[in-house]
Amino acid sequence: MKGSEILPRHYILSGCSWAFEDGIHNADIEVTDGKIKEIRRNGTIEMTDTNTHVFFMEGKLVTYGLCDVHVHLRQPGYEAKETIKTGSAAALNGGFTAVCAMPNLNPTPDSVEHIGSELHHIKEDAAVDVFPYASITIDRKGRQLVDMEALKQYAVAFSDDGSGVQDEEMMKNAMQEAARLDVIIAAHCEVNDLLKGGYIHDGEYCKTNGHKGICSESEWGQIARDLRLAKETGCRYHVCHISTKESVELIRQAKKRGVKVTCETGPHYLVFCDEDLQDEGRFKMNPPIRSREDRDALIEGIKDGTIDCIATDHAPHTADEKSRGLRGSAMGVVGLETAFGVCHTYLVKTGIISLQRLIELMTLNPRRIFNLEVDGDANFTVFDLNHEWTVDPRQFASMGKATPFEGMKLTGKPETVIFKGKKIDL
């Protein structure tokens, strides 16, 4: 971060590009007391106050601050990997003003007391808005449901992320209670009995190089079960980090049947396939990078609206934990500081999706689904879409450095974040 300044109570962002419903157009944005007063398309806002400060933004894209609904900030319990302070700094560096923090912590946020510990760290150290998940079950063990009613006011949603809820009756009970309370169940879908010690996709690379594979059904099999339960209970159901073509099609058909389902995928699943794997920890995550056909299906899913969000699953580990190749390294890679550049370079610049669609996937949809609507707040990210840069993990604010995008050249980077009355130059 280069520096920050306190913004005046009344200012204008002049001549920027802004995503309207019918596309990207030039606009002026007027802000008073931290709230958007007016966004005027293709015109200049008249200055009624001679003290109004004007920031000239010609050639820059301005969006609502990016929002990531799936990150791991590791605190409390795993501060050697990441902290609220370093993880939220990474979010800011990547152009995010809001992130949702997953519950695989110690203690697990499975009670008001335990989530209170996490909220304390957030209040003390967060550089952006951090919204914590509560777990679905006590200690994420899948045996006893948490008190959702007590946790509802503190949690953005409920997830046992890192673990699939194995027992169907337990998941049904969770969905029934979630439906009653009108809260979201966000599911990490994984059938433990199908894992069989696997750690990468069971494709050609796996077989050729003597690794143990994770079959696609371990993901889509549980999604199929949960979609059936979501239809039966009326629960709002969000599927985390989908990676297989079967998952895409199951969700596509469920949406057509009226199931209240949304889903996300990660930038790495949209760029890589298992043909790109190297025997390095920075290519190991759960779910794994899958086949070319899976990647292509995911791309179709973001094009046709089946996939609602792009979320990073930012999952930092220590350098030692990621230094043991595909077999021995911990599952998880970082992604907050590369997400926009990766998606802009590989999805927008290639013509796969429009810039407007990328903004929907990374800002508007996640906020809408998780009830994090901007509601007129003047929290913005300013992008230089022509900025060319090379991914260098040594420059990351995150304590985690393992990324499959290391060394890759990207185009498009956040350069300024406006957040809660401050203009922060990155």
Side-chain angles (χ1 to χ4, degrees):
M1 190 176 76
K2 297 176 182 176
S4 66
E5 62 177 293
I6 303 295
L7 290 166
R9 65 175 296 271
H10 189 200
Y11 64 89
I12 294 172
L13 305 178
S14 179
C16 62
S17 296
W18 181 265
F20 294 88
E21 288 186 2
D22 63 342
I24 309 293
H25 300 280
N26 289 336
D28 282 1
I29 305 169
E30 184 176 11
V31 175
T32 300
D33 294 329
K35 295 288 186 180
I36 299 169
K37 183 177 180 181
E38 182 181 3
I39 300 176
R40 179 171 292 185
R41 174 171 164 173
N42 293 328
T44 302
I45 293 174
E46 295 182 9
M47 290 175 51
T48 57
D49 183 348
T50 56
N51 294 321
T52 298
H53 192 99
V54 179
F55 296 95
F56 294 99
M57 295 282 171
E58 284 80 2
K60 308 300 182 185
L61 171 73
V62 177
T63 73
Y64 295 116
L66 300 183
C67 179
D68 191 338
V69 298
H70 193 136
V71 304
H72 299 267
L73 301 185
R74 304 302 194 197
Q75 190 176 17
Y78 304 99
E79 289 84 354
K81 302 172 187 281
E82 190 80 287
T83 65
I84 298 291
K85 185 174 183 177
T86 59
S88 64
L92 187 68
N93 204 35
F96 293 88
T97 62
V99 297
C100 300
M102 284 298 177
N104 38 356
L105 303 170
N106 186 18
T108 302
D110 54 10
S111 67
V112 173
E113 178 186 1
H114 288 167
I115 203 170
S117 173
E118 183 181 2
L119 287 166
H120 169 76
H121 292 295
I122 290 169
K123 182 179 179 180
E124 291 295 313
D125 293 328
V128 300
D129 285 329
V130 177
F131 302 96
Y133 282 85
S135 59
I136 297 171
T137 64
I138 299 296
D139 205 24
R140 298 173 41 251
K141 300 285 189 189
R143 299 191 188 103
Q144 182 182 351
L145 198 62
V146 300
D147 185 345
M148 288 187 178
E149 189 158 18
L151 284 161
K152 176 183 177 180
Q153 64 180 306
Y154 305 105
V156 68
F158 292 82
S159 179
D160 272 5
D161 188 57
S163 307
V165 177
Q166 302 302 303
D167 183 76
E168 180 170 333
E169 192 65 25
M170 177 60 65
M171 184 55 107
K172 182 178 179 180
N173 291 340
M175 287 189 173
Q176 286 174 330
E177 182 67 354
R180 184 181 75 84
L181 297 170
D182 191 27
V183 296
I184 294 172
I185 294 289
H188 172 118
C189 291
E190 190 169 44
V191 180
N192 290 350
D193 288 345
L194 295 178
L195 297 179
K196 300 178 180 178
Y199 47 86
I200 64 171
H201 176 62
D202 65 346
E204 194 58 39
Y205 179 92
C206 177
K207 297 170 187 174
T208 302
N209 292 277
H211 292 290
K212 292 184 178 180
I214 300 175
C215 69
S216 295
E217 189 179 357
S218 64
E219 173 180 301
W220 65 256
Q222 198 164 95
I223 291 175
R225 179 203 72 179
D226 285 357
L227 289 170
R228 173 170 49 81
L229 294 176
K231 177 67 171 176
E232 181 180 340
T233 61
C235 169
R236 292 162 62 200
Y237 174 60
H238 181 79
V239 192
C240 297
H241 47 46
I242 68 170
S243 67
T244 76
K245 60 182 185 292
E246 293 90 351
S247 301
V248 176
E249 186 58 24
L250 282 165
I251 294 166
R252 180 181 288 122
Q253 295 306 317
K255 287 188 171 189
K256 290 178 181 178
R257 296 194 306 272
V259 179
K260 297 176 184 177
V261 58
T262 55
C263 68
E264 68 193 48
T265 194
H268 40 284
Y269 303 120
L270 295 166
V271 173
F272 297 111
C273 65
D274 65 341
E275 299 166 30
D276 302 309
L277 290 178
Q278 300 175 35
D279 195 4
E280 300 176 17
R282 65 192 182 96
F283 286 92
K284 186 178 182 181
M285 71 290 293
N286 189 25
I289 292 168
R290 298 198 184 269
S291 71
R292 181 185 295 266
E293 292 77 15
D294 292 308
R295 181 191 62 189
D296 293 347
L298 293 167
I299 288 172
E300 286 303 310
I302 65 166
K303 289 170 66 175
D304 71 11
T306 300
I307 296 174
D308 302 275
C309 311
I310 292 176
T312 64
D313 193 7
H314 177 85
H317 294 285
T318 67
D320 179 64
E321 288 171 323
K322 294 299 290 182
S323 67
R324 304 167 190 169
L326 291 172
R327 285 178 180 82
S329 293
M331 295 278 199
V333 295
V334 297
L336 283 167
E337 294 169 87
T338 56
F340 182 84
V342 166
C343 293
H344 180 254
T345 302
Y346 286 93
L347 300 176
V348 176
K349 295 280 286 184
T350 56
I352 291 172
I353 60 173
S354 68
L355 179 58
Q356 186 178 18
R357 175 64 177 150
L358 181 60
I359 293 168
E360 291 173 356
L361 289 160
M362 296 189 72
T363 294
L364 302 179
N365 286 356
R367 291 181 182 276
R368 172 183 55 80
I369 293 164
F370 285 82
N371 297 322
L372 306 173
E373 297 282 7
V374 290
D375 194 29
D377 288 340
N379 295 329
F380 304 119
T381 304
V382 181
F383 295 95
D384 182 347
L385 297 180
N386 297 313
H387 185 132
E388 296 181 348
W389 59 289
T390 300
V391 178
D392 180 359
R394 294 172 299 179
Q395 304 299 316
F396 288 173
S398 172
M399 291 167 63
K401 310 299 181 185
T403 169
F405 299 106
E406 181 177 354
M408 297 177 72
K409 294 182 178 180
L410 305 177
T411 303
K413 205 172 195 298
E415 65 173 30
T416 299
V417 169
I418 294 172
F419 180 66
K420 294 188 176 178
K422 287 185 178 181
K423 178 176 175 285
I424 305 158
D425 295 320
L426 305 175

